[in-house]
Amino acid sequence: MIRFENVSKVYARSTRPALSDINLEIERGEFVFVVGASGSGKSTLLRLVLKEEGVTQGTVLVAGQEVGSLPHRKVPRLRREIGTVFQDFRLLPNKNVYQNVAFALQVLGRSGHAIRQVVPETLEMVGLEGKEKRLPHELSGGEQQRVAIARAFVNKPPILLCDEPTGNLDPTTSLDIVRLLDRINRTGTTIVMATHDDDIVDQLRKRVVELKNGHIIRDENKGVYGSGS
Amino acid sequence: MRLQFMLSEIAIGLRRNLSIAVSVMLVTMVSVYLMGIGFLAQGQVDTLKGYWYDRIQVSIFMCGKDSLDANCDGKAVTDEQRDSLRSQLDEMKPLVKNVYFESEQQAFDRFKEQYRNSPLSDYLQVGDIPQNFRVQLNDPKKYDVVVSAFEGAPGVGRVQDQQKTLDKLFTVMNVVTIGSLFLAGLMVLCSILLMATTIRQAAFSRRRETGIMKLVGASNFTIRLPFVMETVLAALTGTGLAIVGLWVTADSLLPKVSAVLQDAPLVGTTDIWFVAPWLVGFMLVVSVLTSWATLRRYLRV
Ligand SMILES: Nc1ncnc2c1ncn2[C@@H]1O[C@H](COP(=O)(O)OP(=O)(O)O)[C@@H](O)[C@H]1O
Ligand SMILES: [Mg+2]
């Protein structure tokens, strides 16, 4: 589903590579934790998949397509295949829960009929039924992240990228969020989650890819957070 | 993007940036108004040129008994002199088309009638305007042949051709045209800069929305369209107001001018319907191009 072949990334105004010589293959339907200290290159890895940044060297393949040579006008189509969740939720403060989720479909030109059907389904799936009319500031952090997940998933993308989705949440809420992601994963969605939350990684026992200074130093199935260092 | 959703996004955007949208509208209004005035003034010059050049006459004023013209030497024109001028004019056909003789009494009556509303006519007496020949030409451009033939001839006080007077008027009107088009150009530049600034600000204040749109894979077209539509809407509202302003100007002002100019043909409200589509088209192109170019710079994928 996602493949990195000898990928390096050096940001324009920096000399040290953020990622160097990464080789990584993520199969369809996998759940992968990308772990590592702050600055180790986790976010950069995800940005390359989204083509928010271009690679410096090597090739990134997403769903069989080479991302590096993708022309600008085809980038939106790539992103429709990928849902994204961030640490800071990125909800629209003036829109309520329902509108925030519907927004993702409206800007893709989906019909009102389809939206009215799929948005409530998705909200129910993430456990937000009954809170459709709330504004983001009337929700707890965990609930806000559920809205963000619903928005990322409402279009049923085959891939979900999560960049420290639990970074702003307390441990119990964090675990709930990751359980939700696990459930989404079981519907067949490939999930790549960058995190430095060791509790969660240890509890879920998924594949763990560890980065350090832009290098992969560990890649193991059913791994735990800390064994590589 | 669905129409209804797009309209609601545009409404939200306009409400959030209302004051700046209004300023775009006003600046556009002023620039289009000036542009319209420029075009109308130009149209007026062309209309009047055609109208007056066709009617141009050379007036040969003969000496009256109190004439101050040097050539008269204080003596009034004699009947023989007048007859010889007349036959000279007749010989100049076909260059000369028609010759009308106007006596002192007729000249007096005509002046009284033309300036009936002016206090000037109260002081005029018969004889103040000398008897004259009004010469109409087949080719108005050759007036100078007539002028040079009769200037200084015995019994002739002054030869006056209307061309000079008209050219002065046309010069004034050309200055008005060029001046208003120049100002319009400056204002268009202002409106372009203002539109660009507005879009930059709007793009900044809505970076959350556009960020999410990019993330979920909305097309560039979808992301940019609301910004373009808002700018076009503001610009076209301004253009519409300017056209209304031009119409009011033409409708209220021109009849007054027309009275002064003795029913010479004037541009009117119908001419505005002719320039209006061009003004709208021009502003449409300007606003679309400006907003698209600005968005290319400030809303990248
Ligand atoms: N836009 C950027 N420009 C320059 N350097 C950057 C940029 N983003 C990240 N970096 C650098 O790249 C390295 C990896 O960053 P990042 O991928 O954000 O790490 P992580 O998400 O693991 O904290 C860091 O050294 C960071 O300073
Ligand atoms: Mg990061």
PDB file of all heavy atoms in Angstrom, chain A residues 7-36:
ATOM      1  N   VAL A   7      14.577   6.280   0.387  1.00  0.00           N
ATOM      2  CA  VAL A   7      14.102   7.661   0.423  1.00  0.00           C
ATOM      3  C   VAL A   7      14.917   8.507   1.396  1.00  0.00           C
ATOM      4  O   VAL A   7      15.138   8.113   2.540  1.00  0.00           O
ATOM      5  CB  VAL A   7      12.612   7.717   0.832  1.00  0.00           C
ATOM      6  CG1 VAL A   7      12.172   9.158   1.050  1.00  0.00           C
ATOM      7  CG2 VAL A   7      11.755   7.052  -0.220  1.00  0.00           C
ATOM      8  N   SER A   8      15.363   9.655   0.893  1.00  0.00           N
ATOM      9  CA  SER A   8      15.997  10.648   1.761  1.00  0.00           C
ATOM     10  C   SER A   8      15.269  11.969   1.598  1.00  0.00           C
ATOM     11  O   SER A   8      14.742  12.264   0.532  1.00  0.00           O
ATOM     12  CB  SER A   8      17.471  10.841   1.380  1.00  0.00           C
ATOM     13  OG  SER A   8      18.169   9.645   1.612  1.00  0.00           O
ATOM     14  N   LYS A   9      15.247  12.711   2.686  1.00  0.00           N
ATOM     15  CA  LYS A   9      14.627  14.025   2.635  1.00  0.00           C
ATOM     16  C   LYS A   9      15.503  15.028   3.368  1.00  0.00           C
ATOM     17  O   LYS A   9      15.817  14.845   4.552  1.00  0.00           O
ATOM     18  CB  LYS A   9      13.239  13.979   3.294  1.00  0.00           C
ATOM     19  CG  LYS A   9      12.602  15.335   3.493  1.00  0.00           C
ATOM     20  CD  LYS A   9      12.216  15.972   2.174  1.00  0.00           C
ATOM     21  CE  LYS A   9      11.761  17.411   2.363  1.00  0.00           C
ATOM     22  NZ  LYS A   9      11.516  18.079   1.066  1.00  0.00           N
ATOM     23  N   VAL A  10      15.933  16.048   2.658  1.00  0.00           N
ATOM     24  CA  VAL A  10      16.671  17.143   3.278  1.00  0.00           C
ATOM     25  C   VAL A  10      15.844  18.402   3.059  1.00  0.00           C
ATOM     26  O   VAL A  10      15.518  18.750   1.927  1.00  0.00           O
ATOM     27  CB  VAL A  10      18.071  17.314   2.634  1.00  0.00           C
ATOM     28  CG1 VAL A  10      18.864  18.379   3.387  1.00  0.00           C
ATOM     29  CG2 VAL A  10      18.824  16.004   2.612  1.00  0.00           C
ATOM     30  N   TYR A  11      15.449  19.070   4.148  1.00  0.00           N
ATOM     31  CA  TYR A  11      14.666  20.297   4.007  1.00  0.00           C
ATOM     32  C   TYR A  11      15.540  21.402   3.449  1.00  0.00           C
ATOM     33  O   TYR A  11      16.763  21.414   3.651  1.00  0.00           O
ATOM     34  CB  TYR A  11      14.087  20.723   5.358  1.00  0.00           C
ATOM     35  CG  TYR A  11      12.873  19.917   5.749  1.00  0.00           C
ATOM     36  CD1 TYR A  11      12.956  18.941   6.742  1.00  0.00           C
ATOM     37  CD2 TYR A  11      11.650  20.124   5.116  1.00  0.00           C
ATOM     38  CE1 TYR A  11      11.854  18.191   7.108  1.00  0.00           C
ATOM     39  CE2 TYR A  11      10.539  19.381   5.473  1.00  0.00           C
ATOM     40  CZ  TYR A  11      10.637  18.415   6.472  1.00  0.00           C
ATOM     41  OH  TYR A  11       9.543  17.689   6.812  1.00  0.00           O
ATOM     42  N   ALA A  12      14.888  22.330   2.780  1.00  0.00           N
ATOM     43  CA  ALA A  12      15.615  23.382   2.061  1.00  0.00           C
ATOM     44  C   ALA A  12      16.609  24.121   2.960  1.00  0.00           C
ATOM     45  O   ALA A  12      17.756  24.335   2.582  1.00  0.00           O
ATOM     46  CB  ALA A  12      14.626  24.371   1.451  1.00  0.00           C
ATOM     47  N   ARG A  13      16.149  24.521   4.132  1.00  0.00           N
ATOM     48  CA  ARG A  13      17.048  25.323   4.957  1.00  0.00           C
ATOM     49  C   ARG A  13      17.688  24.508   6.082  1.00  0.00           C
ATOM     50  O   ARG A  13      17.711  24.901   7.226  1.00  0.00           O
ATOM     51  CB  ARG A  13      16.304  26.528   5.524  1.00  0.00           C
ATOM     52  CG  ARG A  13      16.532  27.791   4.683  1.00  0.00           C
ATOM     53  CD  ARG A  13      15.545  28.843   5.082  1.00  0.00           C
ATOM     54  NE  ARG A  13      14.186  28.388   4.855  1.00  0.00           N
ATOM     55  CZ  ARG A  13      13.123  28.870   5.497  1.00  0.00           C
ATOM     56  NH1 ARG A  13      13.269  29.754   6.426  1.00  0.00           N
ATOM     57  NH2 ARG A  13      11.912  28.406   5.213  1.00  0.00           N
ATOM     58  N   SER A  14      18.149  23.332   5.732  1.00  0.00           N
ATOM     59  CA  SER A  14      18.822  22.540   6.754  1.00  0.00           C
ATOM     60  C   SER A  14      19.832  21.631   6.060  1.00  0.00           C
ATOM     61  O   SER A  14      19.694  21.304   4.884  1.00  0.00           O
ATOM     62  CB  SER A  14      17.808  21.732   7.560  1.00  0.00           C
ATOM     63  OG  SER A  14      17.905  20.364   7.293  1.00  0.00           O
ATOM     64  N   THR A  15      20.856  21.275   6.770  1.00  0.00           N
ATOM     65  CA  THR A  15      21.915  20.467   6.158  1.00  0.00           C
ATOM     66  C   THR A  15      21.749  19.000   6.539  1.00  0.00           C
ATOM     67  O   THR A  15      21.976  18.106   5.741  1.00  0.00           O
ATOM     68  CB  THR A  15      23.310  20.958   6.614  1.00  0.00           C
ATOM     69  OG1 THR A  15      23.257  21.196   8.028  1.00  0.00           O
ATOM     70  CG2 THR A  15      23.665  22.255   5.906  1.00  0.00           C
ATOM     71  N   ARG A  16      21.273  18.783   7.768  1.00  0.00           N
ATOM     72  CA  ARG A  16      21.091  17.414   8.239  1.00  0.00           C
ATOM     73  C   ARG A  16      19.829  16.831   7.604  1.00  0.00           C
ATOM     74  O   ARG A  16      18.773  17.475   7.617  1.00  0.00           O
ATOM     75  CB  ARG A  16      20.935  17.430   9.768  1.00  0.00           C
ATOM     76  CG  ARG A  16      21.214  16.125  10.466  1.00  0.00           C
ATOM     77  CD  ARG A  16      21.003  16.293  11.966  1.00  0.00           C
ATOM     78  NE  ARG A  16      19.605  16.560  12.305  1.00  0.00           N
ATOM     79  CZ  ARG A  16      18.705  15.598  12.472  1.00  0.00           C
ATOM     80  NH1 ARG A  16      19.032  14.341  12.326  1.00  0.00           N
ATOM     81  NH2 ARG A  16      17.463  15.907  12.785  1.00  0.00           N
ATOM     82  N   PRO A  17      19.911  15.628   7.037  1.00  0.00           N
ATOM     83  CA  PRO A  17      18.688  15.061   6.460  1.00  0.00           C
ATOM     84  C   PRO A  17      17.663  14.710   7.539  1.00  0.00           C
ATOM     85  O   PRO A  17      18.015  14.174   8.588  1.00  0.00           O
ATOM     86  CB  PRO A  17      19.182  13.808   5.736  1.00  0.00           C
ATOM     87  CG  PRO A  17      20.547  13.533   6.252  1.00  0.00           C
ATOM     88  CD  PRO A  17      21.097  14.788   6.830  1.00  0.00           C
ATOM     89  N   ALA A  18      16.387  15.043   7.270  1.00  0.00           N
ATOM     90  CA  ALA A  18      15.308  14.678   8.189  1.00  0.00           C
ATOM     91  C   ALA A  18      15.012  13.183   8.084  1.00  0.00           C
ATOM     92  O   ALA A  18      14.595  12.553   9.054  1.00  0.00           O
ATOM     93  CB  ALA A  18      14.060  15.497   7.881  1.00  0.00           C
ATOM     94  N   LEU A  19      15.226  12.629   6.904  1.00  0.00           N
ATOM     95  CA  LEU A  19      15.112  11.183   6.702  1.00  0.00           C
ATOM     96  C   LEU A  19      16.267  10.769   5.794  1.00  0.00           C
ATOM     97  O   LEU A  19      16.580  11.468   4.839  1.00  0.00           O
ATOM     98  CB  LEU A  19      13.802  10.811   6.005  1.00  0.00           C
ATOM     99  CG  LEU A  19      12.492  10.935   6.781  1.00  0.00           C
ATOM    100  CD1 LEU A  19      11.316  10.615   5.860  1.00  0.00           C
ATOM    101  CD2 LEU A  19      12.475  10.009   7.993  1.00  0.00           C
ATOM    102  N   SER A  20      16.915   9.649   6.117  1.00  0.00           N
ATOM    103  CA  SER A  20      17.951   9.226   5.178  1.00  0.00           C
ATOM    104  C   SER A  20      17.846   7.733   4.880  1.00  0.00           C
ATOM    105  O   SER A  20      17.752   6.904   5.787  1.00  0.00           O
ATOM    106  CB  SER A  20      19.348   9.602   5.685  1.00  0.00           C
ATOM    107  OG  SER A  20      19.534   9.136   6.990  1.00  0.00           O
ATOM    108  N   ASP A  21      17.820   7.469   3.604  1.00  0.00           N
ATOM    109  CA  ASP A  21      17.827   6.117   3.067  1.00  0.00           C
ATOM    110  C   ASP A  21      16.783   5.213   3.729  1.00  0.00           C
ATOM    111  O   ASP A  21      17.101   4.153   4.264  1.00  0.00           O
ATOM    112  CB  ASP A  21      19.228   5.507   3.216  1.00  0.00           C
ATOM    113  CG  ASP A  21      19.418   4.373   2.216  1.00  0.00           C
ATOM    114  OD1 ASP A  21      18.736   4.388   1.171  1.00  0.00           O
ATOM    115  OD2 ASP A  21      20.229   3.474   2.499  1.00  0.00           O
ATOM    116  N   ILE A  22      15.544   5.644   3.671  1.00  0.00           N
ATOM    117  CA  ILE A  22      14.462   4.870   4.287  1.00  0.00           C
ATOM    118  C   ILE A  22      13.944   3.815   3.315  1.00  0.00           C
ATOM    119  O   ILE A  22      13.636   4.120   2.157  1.00  0.00           O
ATOM    120  CB  ILE A  22      13.295   5.815   4.668  1.00  0.00           C
ATOM    121  CG1 ILE A  22      13.727   6.862   5.694  1.00  0.00           C
ATOM    122  CG2 ILE A  22      12.089   5.022   5.172  1.00  0.00           C
ATOM    123  CD1 ILE A  22      14.051   6.292   7.052  1.00  0.00           C
ATOM    124  N   ASN A  23      13.865   2.581   3.763  1.00  0.00           N
ATOM    125  CA  ASN A  23      13.210   1.516   3.017  1.00  0.00           C
ATOM    126  C   ASN A  23      12.124   0.946   3.908  1.00  0.00           C
ATOM    127  O   ASN A  23      12.401   0.502   5.018  1.00  0.00           O
ATOM    128  CB  ASN A  23      14.211   0.407   2.635  1.00  0.00           C
ATOM    129  CG  ASN A  23      15.049   0.829   1.447  1.00  0.00           C
ATOM    130  OD1 ASN A  23      14.570   0.856   0.318  1.00  0.00           O
ATOM    131  ND2 ASN A  23      16.303   1.182   1.728  1.00  0.00           N
ATOM    132  N   LEU A  24      10.891   0.969   3.401  1.00  0.00           N
ATOM    133  CA  LEU A  24       9.786   0.578   4.257  1.00  0.00           C
ATOM    134  C   LEU A  24       8.629   0.122   3.381  1.00  0.00           C
ATOM    135  O   LEU A  24       8.328   0.729   2.356  1.00  0.00           O
ATOM    136  CB  LEU A  24       9.351   1.795   5.091  1.00  0.00           C
ATOM    137  CG  LEU A  24       8.197   1.635   6.080  1.00  0.00           C
ATOM    138  CD1 LEU A  24       8.580   0.701   7.213  1.00  0.00           C
ATOM    139  CD2 LEU A  24       7.807   3.008   6.639  1.00  0.00           C
ATOM    140  N   GLU A  25       8.013  -0.988   3.780  1.00  0.00           N
ATOM    141  CA  GLU A  25       6.851  -1.442   3.009  1.00  0.00           C
ATOM    142  C   GLU A  25       5.700  -1.639   3.983  1.00  0.00           C
ATOM    143  O   GLU A  25       5.845  -2.332   5.010  1.00  0.00           O
ATOM    144  CB  GLU A  25       7.196  -2.752   2.294  1.00  0.00           C
ATOM    145  CG  GLU A  25       5.989  -3.461   1.720  1.00  0.00           C
ATOM    146  CD  GLU A  25       6.064  -3.601   0.207  1.00  0.00           C
ATOM    147  OE1 GLU A  25       7.184  -3.780  -0.294  1.00  0.00           O
ATOM    148  OE2 GLU A  25       5.006  -3.525  -0.449  1.00  0.00           O
ATOM    149  N   ILE A  26       4.579  -1.016   3.702  1.00  0.00           N
ATOM    150  CA  ILE A  26       3.402  -1.177   4.558  1.00  0.00           C
ATOM    151  C   ILE A  26       2.298  -1.801   3.710  1.00  0.00           C
ATOM    152  O   ILE A  26       1.940  -1.272   2.648  1.00  0.00           O
ATOM    153  CB  ILE A  26       2.957   0.183   5.136  1.00  0.00           C
ATOM    154  CG1 ILE A  26       4.057   0.725   6.072  1.00  0.00           C
ATOM    155  CG2 ILE A  26       1.638   0.042   5.896  1.00  0.00           C
ATOM    156  CD1 ILE A  26       3.844   2.149   6.527  1.00  0.00           C
ATOM    157  N   GLU A  27       1.816  -2.967   4.167  1.00  0.00           N
ATOM    158  CA  GLU A  27       0.818  -3.700   3.391  1.00  0.00           C
ATOM    159  C   GLU A  27      -0.571  -3.124   3.610  1.00  0.00           C
ATOM    160  O   GLU A  27      -0.843  -2.462   4.612  1.00  0.00           O
ATOM    161  CB  GLU A  27       0.805  -5.183   3.817  1.00  0.00           C
ATOM    162  CG  GLU A  27       2.130  -5.894   3.654  1.00  0.00           C
ATOM    163  CD  GLU A  27       2.493  -6.128   2.191  1.00  0.00           C
ATOM    164  OE1 GLU A  27       1.579  -6.061   1.321  1.00  0.00           O
ATOM    165  OE2 GLU A  27       3.685  -6.369   1.918  1.00  0.00           O
ATOM    166  N   ARG A  28      -1.453  -3.440   2.680  1.00  0.00           N
ATOM    167  CA  ARG A  28      -2.855  -3.059   2.813  1.00  0.00           C
ATOM    168  C   ARG A  28      -3.431  -3.634   4.105  1.00  0.00           C
ATOM    169  O   ARG A  28      -3.207  -4.804   4.428  1.00  0.00           O
ATOM    170  CB  ARG A  28      -3.631  -3.614   1.622  1.00  0.00           C
ATOM    171  CG  ARG A  28      -5.101  -3.253   1.603  1.00  0.00           C
ATOM    172  CD  ARG A  28      -5.763  -3.929   0.415  1.00  0.00           C
ATOM    173  NE  ARG A  28      -5.200  -3.421  -0.847  1.00  0.00           N
ATOM    174  CZ  ARG A  28      -5.640  -2.330  -1.463  1.00  0.00           C
ATOM    175  NH1 ARG A  28      -6.648  -1.658  -0.962  1.00  0.00           N
ATOM    176  NH2 ARG A  28      -5.087  -1.924  -2.581  1.00  0.00           N
ATOM    177  N   GLY A  29      -4.129  -2.800   4.873  1.00  0.00           N
ATOM    178  CA  GLY A  29      -4.790  -3.272   6.081  1.00  0.00           C
ATOM    179  C   GLY A  29      -3.899  -3.364   7.306  1.00  0.00           C
ATOM    180  O   GLY A  29      -4.359  -3.766   8.376  1.00  0.00           O
ATOM    181  N   GLU A  30      -2.662  -2.951   7.186  1.00  0.00           N
ATOM    182  CA  GLU A  30      -1.774  -3.002   8.350  1.00  0.00           C
ATOM    183  C   GLU A  30      -2.052  -1.848   9.317  1.00  0.00           C
ATOM    184  O   GLU A  30      -2.633  -0.821   8.929  1.00  0.00           O
ATOM    185  CB  GLU A  30      -0.308  -2.905   7.904  1.00  0.00           C
ATOM    186  CG  GLU A  30       0.373  -4.253   7.758  1.00  0.00           C
ATOM    187  CD  GLU A  30       1.881  -4.101   7.685  1.00  0.00           C
ATOM    188  OE1 GLU A  30       2.370  -3.632   6.641  1.00  0.00           O
ATOM    189  OE2 GLU A  30       2.557  -4.454   8.662  1.00  0.00           O
ATOM    190  N   PHE A  31      -1.597  -2.019  10.552  1.00  0.00           N
ATOM    191  CA  PHE A  31      -1.614  -0.949  11.550  1.00  0.00           C
ATOM    192  C   PHE A  31      -0.173  -0.777  12.004  1.00  0.00           C
ATOM    193  O   PHE A  31       0.402  -1.690  12.591  1.00  0.00           O
ATOM    194  CB  PHE A  31      -2.518  -1.330  12.725  1.00  0.00           C
ATOM    195  CG  PHE A  31      -2.821  -0.175  13.665  1.00  0.00           C
ATOM    196  CD1 PHE A  31      -4.141   0.130  13.995  1.00  0.00           C
ATOM    197  CD2 PHE A  31      -1.810   0.600  14.232  1.00  0.00           C
ATOM    198  CE1 PHE A  31      -4.431   1.182  14.869  1.00  0.00           C
ATOM    199  CE2 PHE A  31      -2.096   1.638  15.094  1.00  0.00           C
ATOM    200  CZ  PHE A  31      -3.413   1.933  15.410  1.00  0.00           C
ATOM    201  N   VAL A  32       0.411   0.372  11.689  1.00  0.00           N
ATOM    202  CA  VAL A  32       1.834   0.566  11.983  1.00  0.00           C
ATOM    203  C   VAL A  32       2.024   1.778  12.886  1.00  0.00           C
ATOM    204  O   VAL A  32       1.483   2.851  12.619  1.00  0.00           O
ATOM    205  CB  VAL A  32       2.639   0.787  10.679  1.00  0.00           C
ATOM    206  CG1 VAL A  32       4.122   0.944  10.981  1.00  0.00           C
ATOM    207  CG2 VAL A  32       2.409  -0.347   9.709  1.00  0.00           C
ATOM    208  N   PHE A  33       2.776   1.563  13.972  1.00  0.00           N
ATOM    209  CA  PHE A  33       3.209   2.697  14.795  1.00  0.00           C
ATOM    210  C   PHE A  33       4.564   3.156  14.299  1.00  0.00           C
ATOM    211  O   PHE A  33       5.465   2.332  14.113  1.00  0.00           O
ATOM    212  CB  PHE A  33       3.365   2.279  16.259  1.00  0.00           C
ATOM    213  CG  PHE A  33       2.046   2.117  16.983  1.00  0.00           C
ATOM    214  CD1 PHE A  33       1.706   0.884  17.541  1.00  0.00           C
ATOM    215  CD2 PHE A  33       1.177   3.190  17.124  1.00  0.00           C
ATOM    216  CE1 PHE A  33       0.512   0.738  18.230  1.00  0.00           C
ATOM    217  CE2 PHE A  33      -0.021   3.041  17.812  1.00  0.00           C
ATOM    218  CZ  PHE A  33      -0.360   1.806  18.366  1.00  0.00           C
ATOM    219  N   VAL A  34       4.700   4.466  14.101  1.00  0.00           N
ATOM    220  CA  VAL A  34       6.015   5.017  13.815  1.00  0.00           C
ATOM    221  C   VAL A  34       6.429   5.755  15.080  1.00  0.00           C
ATOM    222  O   VAL A  34       5.759   6.702  15.493  1.00  0.00           O
ATOM    223  CB  VAL A  34       5.989   5.975  12.617  1.00  0.00           C
ATOM    224  CG1 VAL A  34       7.367   6.570  12.363  1.00  0.00           C
ATOM    225  CG2 VAL A  34       5.494   5.250  11.379  1.00  0.00           C
ATOM    226  N   VAL A  35       7.489   5.261  15.731  1.00  0.00           N
ATOM    227  CA  VAL A  35       7.868   5.852  17.007  1.00  0.00           C
ATOM    228  C   VAL A  35       9.260   6.463  16.907  1.00  0.00           C
ATOM    229  O   VAL A  35       9.991   6.247  15.933  1.00  0.00           O
ATOM    230  CB  VAL A  35       7.832   4.804  18.161  1.00  0.00           C
ATOM    231  CG1 VAL A  35       6.445   4.190  18.259  1.00  0.00           C
ATOM    232  CG2 VAL A  35       8.899   3.743  17.967  1.00  0.00           C
ATOM    233  N   GLY A  36       9.598   7.246  17.908  1.00  0.00           N
ATOM    234  CA  GLY A  36      10.908   7.898  17.927  1.00  0.00           C
ATOM    235  C   GLY A  36      10.796   9.219  18.639  1.00  0.00           C
ATOM    236  O   GLY A  36       9.710   9.781  18.783  1.00  0.00           O
TER     237      GLY A  36
END
